[in-house]
Amino acid sequence: MSAVAIPCQSSNCPNGHPPSRLECPTCNKLGIKGSFFCGQDCFKANCEWSLWNSFTKTHKIIHDIATPRQPLLDDPNINKDGTFNPFGTFKFTGTLRPVYPLSPRRIVPDHIPRPDYAQDGIPTSENRRAGQPPKILTPEEQDKMRNVCKLAREVLDIAAAAIRPGITTDEIDAIVHEATIERGAYPSPLNYRGFPKSVCTSVNEVICHGIPDKRKLQEGDIINIDVTLYKDGYHGDLNETYPVGRVDDDSKRLMSTARKCLDEAIKLCKPGALFRDLGKTIEPIARANGCSVVRTYCGHGINDLFHCAPNVPHYAKNKAVGTMKPGMCFTIEPMINLGHWDLEHWPDDWTSVTIDGKRSAQFEETLLITETGVEVLTAGKPREDLQ
């Protein structure tokens, strides 16, 4: 069987990225796929200026990230199996720790259409349309949203079925990635503003944007899985929080409260409703159950752009502008904490955690405003554990 030629992977290839079969031997050994170059010159010249202000080989950086570290007897951040906590000196707010190295970036087949940020991480279309009013979708565009949202729900349900003590969030990422490409779709989070994975997995005190890694889920954890698919030029976005085995009563209360906050907010959605009024319903429900509402993140418009107008805050007395109109698509996704609403970020610049280390839960749906009310495009079956 003949080998498949892959375009030269050098970012500065002077030959126009021709089909190449010279593979990096170290990447091959580490299991990193797609590291091919058209010649020694491209391989040797593949350098960039590093964060430490010295010229380093791009592939050397990749090798260092992908290679398990050797355990040191006096380093508590490195485990005997070679996994490690990359932020050992960081003052974590809770008990959760990252477990690196991250697995290599997953491959999306060439035949699958992808959003404009897939290659360089820059959502050019979003940036160009920033500040514009919410888009009103045509009937044809609404059908595309229905289709991609239906597929996103399927993928989330497949990922949720895999939740169990002992599975890693990286393995959940692999499940989401494969289920997404099986449906001819692109996993929207992958390389969006540089995000390294195909799904967000947020465990315990992580509010949102958790990066899948090698940590194994434990009995009593809770995990939010946030799935977004891109197909036929449109995105479908949803998430849910799930128990890992048996969880304590506080976690049950937190998840049920977060789900109720979303459901009651959806009931308000119809033509003429004000976006700022959603928080008036959400925050009293959270407070009545001893919880708080995150203020830093909000719901968002979604269509051919991953994130766009309108902004949809979830707390009371917000200043959101705008009225719901038929043809608008947006998400509602209240993040509810057991403790204080404030947050901070891990040094990866993605993982958002509660300021006091207490748990957080979230549920999200993509909605379409119709002439008579609202259609939940990502709707799933009611969960018995949330009743």
Side-chain angles (χ1 to χ4, degrees), residues 86-105:
F87 315 126
T89 61
F90 178 71
K91 187 176 181 180
F92 292 89
T93 64
T95 59
L96 191 74
R97 299 292 183 272
V99 181
Y100 277 44
L102 299 181
S103 61
R105 177 174 167 177

Side-chain angles (χ1 to χ4, degrees), residues 22-274:
L22 175 62
E23 184 176 15
C24 171
T26 305
C27 283
N28 180 280
K29 182 178 179 180
L30 292 171
I32 301 173
K33 299 179 180 179
S35 299
F36 289 86
F37 300 88
C38 63
Q40 287 290 340
D41 289 342
C42 266
F43 177 55
K44 293 178 180 178
N46 190 32
C47 302
E48 66 182 5
W49 191 254
S50 77
L51 293 176
W52 298 275
N53 295 328
S54 62
F55 277 107
T56 57
K57 296 292 184 182
T58 300
H59 260 64
K60 180 63 167 58
I61 296 173
I62 296 173
H63 299 162
D64 289 344
I65 293 173
T67 303
R69 293 189 184 181
Q70 296 300 313
L72 301 175
L73 294 178
D74 59 349
D75 191 340
N77 296 307
I78 302 179
N79 305 314
K80 291 183 178 180
D81 61 359
T83 59
F84 60 96
N85 170 8
F87 315 126
T89 61
F90 178 71
K91 187 176 181 180
F92 292 89
T93 64
T95 59
L96 191 74
R97 299 292 183 272
V99 181
Y100 277 44
L102 299 181
S103 61
R105 177 174 167 177
R106 304 192 194 281
I107 303 299
V108 178
D110 289 340
H111 71 273
I112 293 179
R114 53 206 71 202
D116 62 1
Y117 56 79
Q119 184 65 31
D120 61 9
I122 301 172
T124 303
S125 297
E126 284 188 15
N127 295 339
R128 185 181 300 122
R129 285 163 54 182
Q132 294 186 10
K135 182 176 182 178
I136 304 299
L137 302 184
T138 67
E140 180 182 3
E141 291 171 326
Q142 293 176 30
D143 285 342
K144 290 183 178 181
M145 286 296 299
R146 290 187 179 95
N147 182 54
V148 70
C149 287
K150 173 179 175 293
L151 297 178
R153 166 54 69 177
E154 292 176 3
V155 172
L156 177 61
D157 289 346
I158 290 170
I163 294 173
R164 67 182 186 280
I167 193 173
T168 68
T169 49
D170 185 66
E171 290 170 325
I172 293 175
D173 180 73
I175 291 169
V176 168
H177 186 88
E178 291 304 315
T180 298
I181 63 176
E182 284 173 3
R183 287 159 175 76
Y186 181 91
S188 301
L190 187 60
N191 208 33
Y192 178 77
R193 301 186 185 275
F195 190 80
K197 294 295 177 179
S198 297
V199 67
C200 296
T201 52
S202 301
V203 178
N204 296 344
E205 69 264 26
V206 179
I207 296 170
C208 59
H209 304 157
I211 298 174
D213 62 17
K214 288 181 166 49
R215 181 188 181 274
K216 295 180 179 180
L217 294 182
Q218 301 174 7
E219 182 89 13
D221 285 343
I222 60 173
I223 178 173
N224 178 275
I225 301 179
D226 193 338
V227 169
T228 313
L229 268 60
Y230 177 81
K231 186 176 176 66
D232 294 331
Y234 288 80
H235 299 267
D237 190 5
L238 77 162
N239 73 57
E240 294 199 18
T241 303
Y242 303 90
V244 181
R246 294 171 296 177
V247 299
D248 60 27
D249 289 342
D250 281 344
S251 296
K252 293 177 182 177
R253 170 170 56 87
L254 174 66
M255 290 188 293
S256 295
T257 300
R259 182 74 241 188
K260 184 176 182 181
C261 285
L262 174 59
D263 290 341
E264 293 302 311
I266 290 173
K267 292 178 182 178
L268 301 178
C269 295
K270 61 183 179 180
L274 301 177

